Amino acid sequence: MHDDRTLVEARLRRVLDERIRPAVYPESVPLRVAVWHAPGEPVPVAEGLAAEPEPIEVGARWGAPWGTSWFRVSGTVPRAWAGKTVEALLDLGFDENMPGFQCEGLVYRPDGTPVKGLNPRNQWVRVGAPAAGGEEVVLHIEAASNPVVLDYHPFRPTRLGDRETAGHEPQYTLTRMDLAVFDESVWQLVLDLEVLGELMAELPVDSARRHDILRAVERALDAVDLQDVNGTADRARERLTGVLSAPAVPSAHRISAVGHAHIDSAWLWPLRETVRKVARTTSNMTALLEDEPEFVFAMSQAQQWAWVKEHRPEVWARVKKVVAQGRFVPAGGMWVESDTNMPGSEAMARQFVHGKRFFLDEFGVENEEAWLPDTFGFAAGLPQIIRAAGSKWLLTQKISWSQTNRFPHHTFQWEGIDGTRIFTHFPPVDTYNCSMKGSELAHAARNFRDKGRARHSLAPTGWGDGGGGTTREMVAKAARLRDLEGSATVVWETPRAFFEQAQAEYPEPPVWVGELYLELHRATLTSQAKTKQGNRRSEHLLREAELWAATAAVRTGFPYPHEELDRIWKTVLLHQFHDILPGSSIAWVHREARATYERIAGELDGIIGAAQRALAGAGDRELVFNAAPHGRAGIPAGGAGACPPSGRTSLASRAGGGYVLDNGVLRVEIDARGLIVSALDIEAGRESIAPGRAAGLLQLHQDFPNMWDAWDVDEFYRNTVTDLTAADAVQAGPDDRSVLVTRSFGDSRVTQVLSLAAGERRLVIDTEVDWHETEKFLKLAFPLDLHAERYASETQFGHVFRPTHTNTSWEAAKFEACNHRFVHLEEPGWGAAVVNDSTYGHDVTRTVRTDGDRGTTTTVRVSLLRAPRFPDPETDQGVHRFRHALVPGASIADAVREGWRINLPERRLTGAHDVAPLVSADNDAVVITAVKLADDGSGDVVVRFHEAHGGRARATLTAGFAVADVTATDLLERPAGDTEPPERDGDRITVRLRPFELVTLRLRRA
């Protein structure tokens, strides 16, 4: 038999494109269109509906960047269409390749009832099947002219990312506004042929199944009269019945399809636009659920649900109805799909507290899965947090983006730093925007790494990034793929159903220990420094506000600000979304974030000040309040008292230029260049700085990644470096314990203050940078005379170890990594730490000296600033202030303590008397991360703590009030059924913790 396969396949493509798809709408008439352009920010729906529009023609330009236009379309259904299905086709000027990245709309009836969303892949609105014709149709469209920021030439600098700089030129051309007859038979034929054509392309060329489909497609095409597609569509479909009904083989890969619309809470659009994106998508999905009884849709991010409730109550009513049916599923149990590398311990816990509580309060739904398809890697402390929140599963897809190493599993147990394991799934479809294409399903089946032991995976199905979710075409394709020979099988299921089946099928999956590091997007640990500083500052201010307000409430009856703290926490959690905190959003987002963080700081400072004044009472004694979890200078953790006098630091000139700082604990030499050439641990007699090297060294790199400018730093950035050694001035500071250094480079200027406080084992480096570089990367280097094969970085509720070497590609790929408050290195008997108040990115490298002592130099470099030009062309321009400290001779305990101290400076207040801690621990290894009143308003005191040094710990917690009862709880402050009750003797509670164990206790006051 002659091989005509390519001929038939080419015929299928052309006939579909040029004859069959156009016949889905065989008849149409134009609608009348008028438009009103809102003058500023979006207006309430009632105002948009009531506005008086002006006529506009198809073909006209409309929509200034970030504008809102209200279209009114009206027309009459022709009487000749009686009994036919009629739809309005509303094309605002869409590019079908950009769902989620351009203009969108929400359609309303004249009474304000939302109908559905419009986007490039969803341009139709069902009018109905008029009995007689002649019916009048009136629809209103709230259209958002969001500009295309990520264009076909991506990553080019653009001013479109902020309304203040985007200009006023219309962005779109009104393309089609028609009433049309919808021919369902032709539409079904299109889906038949698409599914078979896509399946055929994935089968081996020599397989019998492929040729069976080929011949059936050929017969169907023969049955189509190209001049009467509508009259012959049913006949063509009959020719396909056989190949569409052939069942899948028993060993076929099984896919749980979950309707999905990954909506970034902010990214290439501002927060206010996400509020509307969510309304459009939920309107679409509730409408689709009404039409498709087997369809299931899942939406994560409690914040987005809360936006619908607050801003679109008419949509919320529809959402609640389908949630009650179990088909519109609250997923993930987090406030937003946050970054998981940078949020602090308490913030990561509160993501689950607020997310899960919202779904419990609104729907009675207990989420057992964490749903994070797009997050840029996962910190090793996360499994314990997920478990402590009452959840047990994790889904993500992003690790498939790793550039260097292919992750070895798709279904596995992920083990965190404390030994907690979480059943985890990476969808092998390798997208969180699956559209039910044959190529996607075939890839999932081929790609699944756990074949032979499991055959079940999940496919998040729908247009994401604000693109509107699942379409009726995807649902129709899934119906054909339920049980089809040659394909993976597809069934709509909830995330819970998938995880229960997958876990039952694979009860002993492989185990991955430690962080899930994404070998991509490493620069998100540094981009948009002020957003990151705002987050860190807010986290610590919230700790202080809860601590002092709770203490004052118990001691003085101070009104605990439940509502204010709840609102502020939710705002901070929102800004931890995985494109805000990582610095990968447009300028508008970060401009608003900076203002939000400043407002939050003011509110929290007010709460802290009021609580401290209530505690201190009226008096003229100078009191020092210590919010850190360790005592300092005689002030207990969580308490206040008079600060005893300290020793002194001497400042002397150094031979050869520069200065020497000495406080009896450290002796630090700063040379004439303003660089640290010696940091001697006096007690140990140990030099910290590697011979011939200098610390506190600023290093500047060229930084132009191959793509994803704000997200990525590529390893070749290290190939060129400029050491900023020239100083404009090096002089003694205004006191007797500091040295002031100024430098200029490029268009920028740096001021550093190096200070050594009396009695302290830390040299503090305050760096102010007036930054005006572009496509540069600024690092702060500490070359240490220390031999260490691994180092510790703080993460949530503990620390994670990473190697200093690059023996394998896995280690080499971690050339930029995340830490929270400290990085610690140690060799037996001696260590050092670098602590910070607001930075996350860093690298650690090692070299062996070839001359002299042939010792090892291990260099810690802190990442300070970048200057990418996409998506914000002015990223980080301006003045920045950072605080770091070098801690020679530090153990891991010292690193933990100094990391807290640099982030929680003392507060001084005049008052009458000392303040005893509300709750204290007698073991520094047990770190109290939160002291607060219970969220339910009961007045119970909640204390959360963990073992922080990586070993077992026993501690006595002492409550500074009468305790009636103690209960171990989960993060939501509910009794933890699997936890032994703690030992209590009056107001003293004995706890025993395994390494890095997290515990929450609820103390009922007597």
Side-chain angles (χ1 to χ4, degrees), residues 220 320 707 725 864:
K320 290 190 71 173
M707 57 194 305
T725 57
L864 296 183

Side-chain angles (χ1 to χ4, degrees), residues 132-447:
E135 288 84 350
E136 290 297 316
V137 175
V138 179
L139 297 170
H140 296 260
I141 308 166
E142 181 190 17
S145 49
N146 303 332
V148 177
V149 177
L150 189 68
D151 212 333
Y152 287 103
H153 300 286
F155 318 124
R156 291 187 178 178
T158 175
R159 297 288 176 178
L160 291 172
D162 195 331
R163 185 162 192 163
E164 295 183 352
T165 60
H168 305 284
E169 284 296 311
Q171 300 288 293
Y172 297 101
T173 300
L174 202 62
T175 301
R176 184 176 187 182
M177 294 277 150
D178 289 347
L179 285 178
V181 171
F182 174 71
D183 189 327
E184 184 165 358
S185 292
V186 177
W187 182 78
Q188 296 285 5
L189 176 60
V190 169
L191 273 299
D192 289 345
L193 291 172
E194 284 185 354
V195 166
L196 291 171
E198 291 166 3
L199 173 59
M200 185 166 53
E202 298 301 322
L203 295 170
V205 171
D206 58 356
S207 72
R209 174 63 170 164
R210 179 162 182 160
H211 287 271
D212 286 346
I213 295 173
L214 185 77
R215 298 277 76 92
V217 167
E218 183 179 42
R219 291 192 295 271
L221 295 177
D222 289 343
V224 174
D225 183 340
L226 299 184
Q227 280 66 51
D228 185 17
V229 173
N230 301 88
T232 56
D234 286 335
R235 184 173 69 191
R237 292 195 71 206
E238 291 172 2
R239 307 287 176 90
L240 301 173
T241 302
V243 289
L244 284 169
S245 60
V249 299
S251 61
H253 187 71
R254 185 174 186 272
I255 291 177
S256 292
V258 178
H260 187 237
H262 172 68
I263 304 177
D264 287 306
S265 290
W267 181 29
L268 304 181
W269 48 85
L271 287 166
R272 66 90 153 144
E273 192 55 32
T274 312
V275 175
R276 302 200 296 173
K277 281 178 175 282
V278 174
R280 296 174 200 127
T281 297
T282 50
S283 296
N284 259 350
M285 295 303 95
T286 53
L288 190 60
L289 285 161
E290 291 176 5
D291 295 338
E292 302 291 348
E294 294 186 353
F295 176 54
V296 174
F297 181 77
M299 189 170 91
S300 66
Q301 306 191 74
Q303 170 68 88
Q304 296 186 1
W305 292 72
W307 279 334
V308 178
K309 181 181 180 182
E310 178 183 357
H311 296 284
R312 290 290 194 269
E314 65 282 1
V315 180
W316 180 250
R318 292 166 56 178
V319 167
K320 290 190 71 173
K321 179 181 176 181
V322 286
V323 170
Q325 298 169 0
R327 297 172 57 222
F328 195 125
V329 182
M334 296 175 67
W335 191 246
V336 294
E337 290 182 11
S338 74
D339 179 80
T340 74
N341 286 311
M342 290 176 282
S345 302
E346 270 305 305
M348 201 73 253
R350 304 300 175 95
Q351 285 286 352
F352 288 90
V353 168
H354 287 284
K356 293 195 70 167
R357 186 172 289 146
F358 181 89
F359 293 141
L360 283 164
D361 290 348
E362 295 294 336
F363 308 114
V365 171
E366 173 86 25
N367 294 108
E368 292 190 295
E369 76 287 332
W371 184 273
L372 292 164
D374 191 31
T375 296
F376 309 151
F378 300 88
L382 189 58
Q384 178 173 210
I385 298 171
I386 294 172
R387 184 72 69 179
S391 298
K392 57 186 179 182
W393 301 312
L394 169 66
L395 178 134
T396 185
Q397 181 270 322
K398 201 68 172 189
I399 299 298
S400 69
W401 286 42
S402 285
Q403 288 178 315
T404 306
N405 298 286
R406 185 181 179 194
F407 197 80
H409 317 296
H410 281 107
T411 302
F412 60 100
Q413 291 276 14
W414 179 28
E415 182 178 316
I417 54 174
D418 74 311
T420 297
R421 292 181 175 181
I422 294 294
F423 188 83
T424 302
H425 181 67
F426 293 168
V429 70
D430 280 350
T431 177
Y432 44 81
N433 296 323
C434 176
S435 61
M436 285 290 132
K437 285 184 179 177
S439 57
E440 293 170 336
L441 304 189
H443 175 76
R446 286 193 299 263
N447 187 41

Side-chain angles (χ1 to χ4, degrees), residues 724-799:
L724 303 180
T725 57
D728 299 335
V730 179
Q731 59 195 64
D735 50 34
D736 61 355
R737 62 181 192 179
S738 64
V739 174
L740 177 67
V741 183
T742 56
R743 307 183 193 279
S744 300
F745 62 95
D747 295 321
S748 303
R749 182 176 174 83
V750 177
T751 301
Q752 285 183 307
V753 179
L754 291 76
S755 55
L756 184 63
E760 299 286 359
R761 185 182 289 279
R762 64 175 181 270
L763 174 69
V764 175
I765 301 106
D766 287 297
T767 304
E768 178 179 291
V769 187
D770 189 4
W771 179 247
H772 297 285
E773 308 306 304
T774 57
E775 296 165 352
K776 295 291 195 296
F777 196 4
L778 185 65
K779 292 261 188 177
L780 178 64
F782 297 88
L784 304 175
D785 186 12
L786 196 149
H787 179 88
E789 294 188 1
R790 67 176 189 173
Y791 72 97
S793 292
E794 188 185 30
T795 189
Q796 292 100 3
F797 298 111
H799 52 266

